[in-house]
Amino acid sequence: MVEVNNVAGVTKVADNVERVAVLEFSFVDDLVALGISPVAIADDGNKDKIIEPVRKHLKDYISVGERENPDLNKLREAEPQLIITDSTRHKDIYDELNKITPTILLNSFGGDYKENLEAFKTVSQAVSKEEEGKKRLEEHDKKVDEGSKNISIDKKLSTLPVVPAKIGVAAHSDKSYVGQFLEILGFDIPLSQQDANKYKPYLDGPYLQMTPDQLAELDPERLIIMSDEEDKNALEKLENADAYKKIKAVENDHVHKVGRLAWAKSRGLIASENIVKELSEFK
């Protein structure tokens, strides 16, 4: 029996569990990095919501629908020995989940890069693969260090990662996953969580709402816009705003468009290694 410390307290999990269900994308990434394919995944009803470098390693699994509102009946059908859940999204249904099988709560959605690495360590322990986890983290650190050397764009430019939203953008501070990861890679992030009182919070994570005018006032020298098809209308509205066109990043053609799924939603070792690879391709 493994005693796992997590947000819910101490959870007792059987040794060497084989059937694991996950309700957040980062935990799919974590398990794949450890050589495990989950038996059930909250994939928002679409396997393509899982990034390809992770998806290609998955075996058949049961989709339990939306991450925010997973189908508990389908989850039961999967007969998991362990459920790995997000402390923001799933704290209110934790007791129900724990009745199905031992369940651990970890900080992913609201967590920064370092917190997600800690979550990976906990997942490694929960599935009795601590040694494999340590080796994979060493491999990850090496990949990030080596990949960082291939990034040729100027890291000294103030760089702000954002997601287009109805009000303008959801800006990612230095306490978000992407913001902190970019900072670790040597980028200057112009928005710290200390600035949070200036802006409205976005959802329940370390994200801040900004209007185009507020974004122009902050005036980042580089913008990384994370968007998918669902963000198309918000992106068009942002790009058509007069204030947006006056931002240094826009005026100097330092705007990079990347996939929101890969950059902002996946938050695992494999996902972050691919972020470094993509950064090395920026011009």
Side-chain angles (χ1 to χ4, degrees), residues 25-38 41 47-59 136 139-140 143 259 261-263 265-278 281:
F25 293 138
S26 65
F27 306 137
V28 184
D29 188 314
D30 289 344
L31 289 179
V32 166
L34 291 166
I36 296 174
S37 183
I41 300 173
K47 66 180 181 180
D48 291 335
K49 292 279 187 170
I50 300 167
I51 59 172
E52 195 276 337
V54 172
R55 187 174 69 244
K56 69 182 181 181
H57 295 289
L58 296 176
K59 298 176 183 177
R136 185 61 182 84
E139 179 186 334
H140 172 72
K143 285 184 176 181
L261 176 64
W263 278 63
K265 292 183 179 180
S266 298
R267 297 186 300 275
L269 269 63
I270 298 170
S272 53
E273 289 160 8
N274 277 272
I275 286 174
V276 176
K277 183 176 182 295
E278 199 164 345
E281 297 167 356

Side-chain angles (χ1 to χ4, degrees), residues 4-183:
V4 183
N5 286 300
N6 62 100
V7 176
V10 178
T11 302
K12 293 183 178 180
V13 180
D15 292 325
N16 301 304
V17 292
E18 296 180 353
R19 301 184 63 81
V20 187
V22 291
L23 304 185
E24 182 55 81
F25 293 138
S26 65
F27 306 137
V28 184
D29 188 314
D30 289 344
L31 289 179
V32 166
L34 291 166
I36 296 174
S37 183
V39 295
I41 300 173
D43 60 1
D44 289 348
N46 182 353
K47 66 180 181 180
D48 291 335
K49 292 279 187 170
I50 300 167
I51 59 172
E52 195 276 337
V54 172
R55 187 174 69 244
K56 69 182 181 181
H57 295 289
L58 296 176
K59 298 176 183 177
D60 288 341
Y61 66 86
I62 293 176
S63 170
V64 296
E66 301 290 327
R67 287 170 296 149
E68 293 186 14
N69 188 28
D71 186 325
L72 300 192
N73 287 327
K74 286 187 176 180
L75 194 54
R76 292 186 186 92
E77 287 176 19
E79 299 181 342
Q81 297 168 288
L82 170 67
I83 302 173
I84 306 176
T85 62
D86 180 72
S87 57
T88 300
R89 297 191 197 276
H90 308 118
K91 59 186 177 183
D92 291 339
I93 61 169
Y94 174 78
D95 289 341
E96 293 178 76
L97 294 169
N98 208 37
K99 289 176 183 176
I100 296 173
T101 203
T103 299
I104 58 176
L105 280 176
L106 299 172
N107 195 14
S108 173
F109 176 77
D112 57 30
Y113 172 69
K114 292 179 181 178
E115 287 172 311
N116 272 273
L117 292 185
E118 288 302 314
F120 175 77
K121 293 177 184 178
T122 303
V123 170
S124 301
Q125 180 197 10
V127 297
S128 302
K129 286 184 175 286
E130 280 189 277
E131 286 306 311
E132 291 92 332
K134 288 177 182 176
K135 290 179 182 177
R136 185 61 182 84
L137 274 176
E138 289 173 1
E139 179 186 334
H140 172 72
D141 290 341
K142 185 177 180 180
K143 285 184 176 181
V144 170
D145 288 342
E146 291 179 351
S148 180
K149 295 173 185 175
N150 296 323
I151 298 172
S152 61
I153 58 173
D154 188 355
K155 295 180 182 180
K156 294 179 182 178
L157 297 183
S158 58
T159 301
L160 185 67
V162 301
V163 172
K166 289 181 180 179
I167 45 81
V169 298
H172 287 228
S173 74
D174 62 349
K175 277 298 290 176
S176 71
Y177 184 91
V178 174
Q180 187 183 75
F181 187 47
L182 288 171
E183 194 169 61

